[in-house]
Amino acid sequence: IISGTGYTGSGGFELYLPNEHAETVWSKIMEAGQPAGIKPIGLGARDTLRLEMGFCLYGNDIDETTSPIEAGLGWVTKFTKDFINKDEIQRQKENGVPQKLTGFVMQEKGIPRAGYLLYNEQDIEIGKVTSGSQSPCLSKGVGLGYIQNEYAQAGTAVYVGVRNRRIKAEVQKPPFYKG
């Protein structure tokens, strides 16, 4: 099976095949791609690409405890069909949520990591990083995190708690890289 279901924004594909054919298919793809400079790239690169696009990763940015409204996925939530917790999610869509998944770009040297806390200028905790990495394209750290609504507007300064320091970042709507 060849599937165009990748989530990095790069237009790639995923291949599904029996294990006994994987090495042969891999070798043929690498051979065919040599003139174009093909290189094997791993999951770390894939994760960086999806983060630069602002795409959610299940288990990091969304899970069974987050709502699609908090995660900014209301656009894919269809209320014309019945689903678990529909009434509560409909209420959230109509009334808003106290926090939302928000992108940010580091303004100082530092790499945001999942689990780091986010603070406002008064050093009050306002959220938590769910995904973060160094962006090779921007040469800056970028991240996603759940932030209280009042701090989630583009251009707002937030601070990432790294060890005993607060490193300045700025809220920015993804995608971070538009190349």
Side-chain angles (χ1 to χ4, degrees):
I1 297 172
I2 298 175
S3 171
T5 57
Y7 61 96
T8 64
S10 66
F13 295 90
E14 295 174 2
L15 304 176
Y16 303 87
L17 56 135
N19 286 343
E20 63 266 20
H21 301 299
E23 189 173 343
T24 301
V25 170
W26 173 267
S27 296
K28 294 289 185 185
I29 290 171
M30 295 305 293
E31 182 182 317
Q34 264 184 337
I38 193 171
K39 293 181 179 155
I41 305 297
L43 291 176
R46 185 223 44 198
D47 194 47
T48 300
L49 288 169
R50 73 103 192 148
L51 182 56
E52 286 178 336
M53 292 301 295
F55 294 165
C56 296
L57 177 62
Y58 188 84
N60 286 48
D61 310 303
I62 54 175
D63 61 24
E64 68 278 355
T65 68
T66 55
S67 86
I69 306 306
E70 289 176 319
L73 299 172
W75 61 276
V76 295
T77 307
K78 306 299 181 217
F79 292 97
T80 56
K81 297 182 178 184
D82 200 29
F83 55 87
I84 295 170
N85 208 18
K86 178 182 176 181
D87 293 339
E88 173 61 17
I89 294 171
Q90 177 76 47
R91 186 193 64 72
Q92 289 177 355
K93 186 166 184 147
E94 292 169 2
N95 300 326
V97 289
Q99 65 175 6
K100 60 174 104 169
L101 188 63
T102 306
F104 58 91
V105 176
M106 301 301 289
Q107 300 301 298
E108 299 173 8
K109 187 177 179 181
I111 300 172
R113 298 288 185 204
Y116 285 3
L117 297 179
L118 297 165
Y119 298 88
N120 66 10
E121 289 184 340
Q122 291 74 40
D123 204 35
I124 297 169
E125 184 183 324
I126 58 167
K128 187 183 230 180
V129 177
T130 56
S131 288
S133 185
Q134 178 73 8
S135 167
C137 296
L138 301 175
S139 298
K140 293 182 177 183
V142 297
L144 296 173
Y146 284 93
I147 299 177
Q148 294 174 12
N149 269 344
E150 62 191 275
Y151 301 99
Q153 291 75 36
T156 302
V158 296
Y159 297 83
V160 180
V162 180
R163 298 177 197 84
N164 294 322
R165 300 180 316 147
R166 304 292 186 256
I167 301 176
K168 188 174 184 178
E170 184 177 283
V171 171
Q172 181 179 317
K173 183 178 179 181
F176 301 115
Y177 178 73
K178 300 170 180 99

